[in-house]
Amino acid sequence: MRLGVRRKAGFLVAAGLLDYALQLGVPVILVRHLTAQEFGDYRLVWLVAQTGLILFSLFLPQSLFYFLPRAAPGTRPKLVGNTFASLLALGGLAILLLLGLMPVLPSSIAGLQRHSPLVQIFVGTWILASILDVLPTADGKAEWGACATIGFAIVRTAALAGAAVASGDVGFILVVMCGLAMLKVGLAVFYGLFAAQERGLGFDGQLARAQLKYSLPFAMANGFFALRAQADQWVVAANFSSSAFALISIASVVTLFASLVRQPLGNAVLPNFSSLVSEGNLDGARELVSKAYLLLVCMLPVYGGLIATADDLVELIYTREYLGAVPLMQIYLLGQIATVFGAGHLLWAFGFGRQAATTGAISLLLSIAVSILGLQLFGLAGAVAGSIAGLVLWEWWALIKVAKALGTSIAKLIPMDQTLKVALVVAVGVLAAHIVSYELDTSVFLRLVAKSSAFMTTVLLGFVLTKVHHSVISLVRGASEKAP
């Protein structure tokens, strides 16, 4: 059983990594064939689409994780059909609202009106297509879902890159995006009709109401958290041109990387953590969380390395035209460091859903308010800092709640000794990289190599001198000895 779960998780993680890598590859081509304004428009369309997913999908695809494993024989097709029908209606509603509201939205978003109705069609279709991200895995066929993710990611990258090279026109790229969204819907329909455990699509109104009743509370709690992460981008979109928005959208790429690092570990820890809590084994739960935090502490050098080389990475990947994204990216990275001990994913094990939703709403309002204030005082950097403030509030509140529920303090839950040592080593490494590159007159690639080498050498040496590597080695050995 454990081997099967581990195998499925491996497929999904590999698919996610490849998808992320290909997502990073697309802008590398687009920035070289589109103007800054056109690239900003492209990123704004994705902002609208992602916000549409948060507001209109209502957590219905994710609810299949709850309903499909518990489904009685013959009801699976109805559950899947209900989800398709609901998302189709919600996607249609999103299209109608965007058609009516887009002209009165902030100037940069309203500027997308020149691409109507392509923007609206893409957003509505993308909401419907989101079922493919969940359906195969919830149906017990994670390998199928991973293969679909990889295949679609490759097709999407090739299609968007080809459209940019062939036309250099964001309008044509939007046509391709609509086609890709329809392809994703087609793959989901194909799975439901021909590959699912119980093939076919049905509909049951009573069951649909039960699905909606289950999903709405989760939609609110997760929606507040997701919207908070976008607050600064919406504030910038409302006050600046699409060219300025392109900078913050590039900088925010590092937050996706952070999620890619933390989410697999969180998903792996949560089932065992929940089981220990339900058994009343709080000592075991505390030990598990402390070990997970030690692993996350070991990711601090990655964030430090990105801070040290951000200017060279942006220039190398996105060209010098987008160097304005560098300080924004570094602020995002500092925020990820400040919340490395985030405990939001552990709240559900204690049934803190309602409190999480309330605090999520407060952190969202705080993010918007501080982002607006920061924008007025410090420009784009202030807007990003506002978003980070909301994130820090949320994660540290969650950490306090989890520590209290476990009957301990934050200082005892977090491996403070190792954390301080790693933080010091990373700070020295960033300083060493800066000293090495100071007044270094060479190509961007050689500067990147010099900085990276100086940073890595300093960090590795620091780990040895502070003996942090002993804790990591013992942790890895302990995990391998317990593995079946």
Side-chain angles (χ1 to χ4, degrees), residues 334-355:
L334 288 173
Q336 296 302 318
I337 291 174
T339 56
V340 70
F341 301 116
H345 62 291
L346 300 176
L347 293 172
W348 309 109
F350 296 101
F352 293 152
R354 182 174 297 180
Q355 297 177 53

Side-chain angles (χ1 to χ4, degrees), residues 241-329:
S241 67
S242 55
S243 300
F245 178 78
L247 297 179
I248 196 171
S249 69
I250 287 173
S252 65
V253 166
V254 295
T255 63
L256 296 177
F257 171 79
S259 298
L260 199 65
V261 171
R262 292 173 57 178
Q263 188 171 343
L265 179 60
N267 291 342
V269 167
L270 189 54
N272 290 337
F273 179 80
S274 181
S275 177
L276 290 169
V277 170
S278 65
E279 295 168 0
N281 186 1
L282 297 186
D283 290 335
R286 287 192 292 266
E287 183 182 0
L288 180 63
V289 172
S290 294
K291 288 182 177 179
Y293 281 156
L294 180 56
L295 287 174
L296 286 173
V297 166
C298 295
M299 292 305 302
L300 291 181
V302 177
Y303 299 139
L306 290 173
I307 290 175
T309 60
D311 53 346
D312 303 305
L313 288 172
V314 169
E315 182 176 351
L316 189 65
I317 296 173
Y318 298 103
T319 74
R320 292 185 60 84
E321 187 174 1
Y322 296 94
L323 282 176
V326 172
L328 311 181
M329 184 177 291

Side-chain angles (χ1 to χ4, degrees), residues 164-215:
V165 173
S167 69
D169 177 47
V170 70
F172 184 68
I173 290 174
L174 285 173
V175 173
V176 173
M177 289 168 63
C178 290
L180 289 169
M182 293 176 186
L183 172 61
K184 192 173 181 180
V185 172
L187 286 172
V189 172
F190 175 86
Y191 179 86
L193 293 176
F194 303 105
Q197 288 193 30
E198 292 186 31
R199 299 172 185 176
L201 299 174
F203 184 79
D204 184 314
Q206 184 176 358
L207 196 56
R209 286 191 292 273
Q211 288 178 261
L212 188 61
K213 183 179 180 180
Y214 170 86
S215 66

Side-chain angles (χ1 to χ4, degrees), residues 300-301 303-305 307-308 334 337 419-435 455 458-459 463:
L300 291 181
Y303 299 139
I307 290 175
L334 288 173
I337 291 174
T419 300
L420 293 175
K421 290 178 180 178
V422 172
L424 176 62
V425 168
V426 169
V428 174
V430 172
L431 179 62
H434 177 72
I435 293 173
F455 179 80
T458 303
V459 168
F463 272 19

Side-chain angles (χ1 to χ4, degrees), residues 301 304-305 308-309 312 425-438 440 446-462:
T309 60
D312 303 305
V425 168
V426 169
V428 174
V430 172
L431 179 62
H434 177 72
I435 293 173
V436 166
S437 64
Y438 186 69
L440 185 63
L446 290 179
R447 285 203 313 271
L448 179 61
V449 171
K451 283 185 180 180
S452 300
S453 300
F455 179 80
M456 291 176 62
T457 301
T458 303
V459 168
L460 291 175
L461 181 60

